[in-house]
Amino acid sequence: MTLLDFYRQYPDEASCEAALRSFREHHGLFCSQCGGLRLSWNPSHKSWTCMDCKHEMQLRSGTVMQGSHLPVRDWFAAMFMLTATRRAISAKEIQRQLGRKRYQPVWEIVHKLRDVMGRRDSLYALHGDMEVDEGFFSTETPEDQKDCPLKRGRGSQRKTSVLVMAESSRSATPPARKYSTPKTVGHIKMLVIGDFKASTITGKIKTGTDGNADVTTDGFSSYAALEKDGVTTSHHAVVADDKKSVGKVLTWVHIAISNAKRSILDTYHDIKAEFLQLYLNEFCYKFNRRYLGFRLFDRPELCACTYRANFKHRIY
Ligand SMILES: [Zn+2]
């Protein structure tokens, strides 16, 4: 499906609103005041009225689109573009495709969609055999630290740390030939972390997994108590001096990290640390749905209908 096909399927605003309405009505719509399920549609207001408490609910309320003045069609098209290809898509590119003059509103749409992608993925608990490691992504030096001497390695102002987790198991079906590893990858998560304390790392692993994972990490001390603290069923630390032998065990986290870096760097020259999580959300969302192809499109639609974005930011 191309953008042109997409526009044929949704030729105008009315068709998008109708799709949104039917989607919401078929996916457990209920009154936000009393939880009632009996809602009646008012075409003139583009809203539902609750038959029990008379509360009126707008078509977009409770979705990522709440409060936005841009057409539903722009949101749908942005969702489509964002998920139609594996590479990172910039707001600039989407703005050009939408033919919008102003960048800011499109930039907000795109970041809000990335935000709900992250929230959608956060509902999934990783399980089984897993690899966990940290990755360091290049980001802009924060304004308040531009005059400070540059630190190196961990804690450098030019790097943002990310905890990366990947379901990775030895399976009967061998993975694609281009990856010379006997392990296959399932879902992944990438979470920006502010520090490397054991409590920070353990907390992220605890919320990201089902509590029964068998985790492999390197010998970093912050992972030491994972099993003792009951966060994982088992923990295997690979203590090796050379990067290569660690890489053989933590194969998929490393592949995921380098693919994410390449994907983000190919699209952006410099990114602000505060937005890195959003770009990672987009990467992981697509990675986790890599077998679905263009059916990806109904996924963000689902996001748009169930969540409201946390993202609030203005660049002017
Ligand atoms: Zn009600």
Side-chain angles (χ1 to χ4, degrees):
M1 192 170 172
T2 66
L3 187 59
L4 212 65
D5 298 328
F6 168 80
Y7 278 139
R8 264 186 217 122
Q9 195 180 337
Y10 296 98
D12 50 27
E13 183 64 1
S15 61
C16 292
E17 286 178 349
L20 177 61
R21 180 191 156 199
S22 125
F23 193 88
R24 294 199 70 183
E25 288 177 350
H26 286 95
H27 287 81
L29 185 69
F30 57 87
C31 170
S32 58
Q33 285 291 313
C34 76
L37 296 170
R38 299 188 309 139
L39 299 154
S40 87
W41 176 250
N42 333 302
S44 56
H45 286 203
K46 291 180 190 169
S47 67
W48 294 274
T49 303
C50 172
M51 316 265 273
D52 295 318
C53 74
K54 304 295 171 223
H55 174 65
E56 190 178 345
M57 251 176 19
Q58 296 299 318
L59 179 61
R60 297 183 186 205
S61 72
T63 75
V64 67
M65 293 179 271
Q66 179 166 332
S68 161
H69 299 294
L70 284 169
V72 173
R73 195 166 181 247
D74 277 9
W75 283 85
F76 277 19
M79 291 170 202
F80 173 77
M81 284 183 257
L82 215 48
T83 51
T85 156
R86 198 174 284 192
R87 70 189 169 87
I89 305 294
S90 70
K92 272 263 180 301
E93 197 172 336
I94 292 178
Q95 181 200 5
R96 198 166 49 239
Q97 299 270 9
L98 290 177
R100 292 276 157 200
K101 282 204 176 75
R102 291 175 60 225
Y103 173 63
Q104 171 76 13
V106 177
W107 182 83
E108 280 184 30
I109 284 186
V110 175
H111 268 347
K112 280 180 176 169
L113 290 174
R114 290 182 181 126
D115 185 42
V116 287
M117 285 177 176
R119 289 221 259 161
R120 183 83 199 140
D121 271 356
S122 73
L123 299 177
Y124 181 87
L126 300 176
H127 59 272
D129 291 327
M130 273 175 54
E131 302 170 16
V132 179
D133 203 1
E134 313 102 71
F136 303 94
F137 286 72
S138 300
T139 43
E140 265 180 37
T141 311
E143 278 303 320
D144 58 347
Q145 288 176 41
K146 279 202 167 135
D147 301 325
C148 305
L150 189 68
K151 286 178 258 173
R152 304 187 64 163
R154 263 188 197 147
S156 161
Q157 302 96 319
R158 282 195 197 155
K159 298 275 181 202
T160 299
S161 323
V162 176
L163 189 71
V164 183
M165 306 179 231
E167 291 173 339
S168 160
S169 58
R170 279 168 210 283
S171 81
T173 41
R177 246 238 183 94
K178 63 175 177 171
Y179 302 116
S180 55
T181 165
K183 297 204 280 185
T184 48
V185 67
H187 278 68
I188 61 165
K189 284 182 196 283
M190 295 188 169
L191 304 165
V192 169
I193 46 173
D195 60 67
F196 298 99
K197 288 183 196 135
S199 57
T200 306
I201 288 179
T202 307
K204 296 279 184 202
I205 296 177
K206 199 171 182 174
T207 47
T209 61
D210 71 349
N212 290 310
D214 298 307
V215 173
T216 303
T217 65
D218 59 17
F220 185 45
S221 60
S222 286
Y223 297 117
L226 279 177
E227 195 178 328
K228 186 169 67 63
D229 291 349
V231 175
T232 61
T233 304
S234 73
H235 172 231
H236 176 62
V238 188
V239 188
D241 291 334
D242 60 314
K243 264 191 165 172
K244 212 173 172 184
S245 42
V246 174
K248 270 193 185 143
V249 189
L250 298 174
T251 329
W252 278 108
V253 276
H254 291 171
I255 292 173
I257 291 168
S258 66
N259 286 359
K261 282 182 181 170
R262 198 167 53 229
S263 162
I264 292 170
L265 276 179
D266 278 353
T267 305
Y268 310 97
H269 296 297
D270 222 355
I271 59 169
K272 287 192 166 68
E274 62 179 307
F275 300 133
L276 177 61
Q277 184 64 60
L278 295 165
Y279 297 117
L280 295 174
N281 288 354
E282 181 189 337
F283 177 83
C284 291
Y285 187 90
K286 293 194 247 192
F287 186 95
N288 290 338
R289 287 158 189 77
R290 61 201 176 277
Y291 300 123
L292 299 175
F294 292 117
R295 278 169 49 215
L296 275 173
F297 174 61
D298 56 355
R299 303 286 173 154
E301 198 174 8
L302 182 93
C303 289
C305 298
T306 336
Y307 304 97
R308 268 168 72 182
N310 274 333
F311 177 76
K312 279 196 182 74
H313 194 90
R314 295 204 166 263
I315 44 175
Y316 63 88

